[in-house]
Amino acid sequence: QVQLVESGGGLVQAGGSLRLSCAASGSIFSINFMGWYRQAPGKQRELVAVIISGVGTNYADSVKGRFTISRDNAKNTVYLQMNSLKPEDTAAYYCNLLVRTTYSTNSVSYWGQGTQVTVSS
């Protein structure tokens, strides 16, 4: 089994920065997909940023130029650097990893527990 632990959320004023971290542990063979999603109350969950091995990165239009996704494969960790935060960024942020385990050739999607980001005006 694989577990994801998120950290880095909190309360920040508009224009400030936060860095989210999502560390995976368990029987990991490889991680092919790393992404960050967010969900605000009353809204659908949306993809914020994604990084895929051998492909590159992509961002939602609303965060382009402000957010940066990166990874540390040695630590099985994905980060989301968030700059110039806006109140509209307020949401619960979830990491999602597509993981191939050591006991299977198939990849399985795993979700973090979520971390709250609140941006005040």
Side-chain angles (χ1 to χ4, degrees):
Q1 192 59 246
V2 174
Q3 290 187 330
L4 308 181
V5 179
E6 297 184 31
S7 62
L11 175 64
V12 65
Q13 291 186 323
S17 299
L18 287 172
R19 188 180 75 159
L20 306 184
S21 176
C22 177
S25 62
S27 303
I28 299 171
F29 180 80
S30 64
I31 302 175
N32 302 309
F33 170 96
M34 293 180 170
W36 287 95
Y37 292 77
R38 67 185 181 187
Q39 186 168 21
K43 298 182 65 177
Q44 292 185 325
R45 184 172 58 187
E46 64 174 340
L47 179 65
V48 176
V50 58
I51 184 167
I52 304 174
S53 298
V55 177
T57 60
N58 200 11
Y59 301 89
D61 288 340
S62 59
V63 306
K64 285 182 178 178
R66 301 188 298 119
F67 290 11
T68 302
I69 187 171
S70 61
R71 62 181 178 234
D72 186 336
N73 291 334
K75 298 180 179 179
N76 290 325
T77 300
V78 61
Y79 304 93
L80 184 67
Q81 179 66 46
M82 305 184 294
N83 298 325
S84 301
L85 283 163
K86 305 175 181 179
E88 302 87 79
D89 297 317
T90 296
Y93 284 71
Y94 300 88
C95 60
N96 174 245
L97 275 61
L98 188 64
V99 180
R100 180 185 172 185
T101 61
T102 57
Y103 50 84
S104 177
T105 57
N106 294 328
S107 295
V108 178
S109 179
Y110 292 91
W111 290 90
Q113 83 281 5
T115 184
Q116 179 67 37
V117 172
T118 302
V119 184
S120 62
S121 300

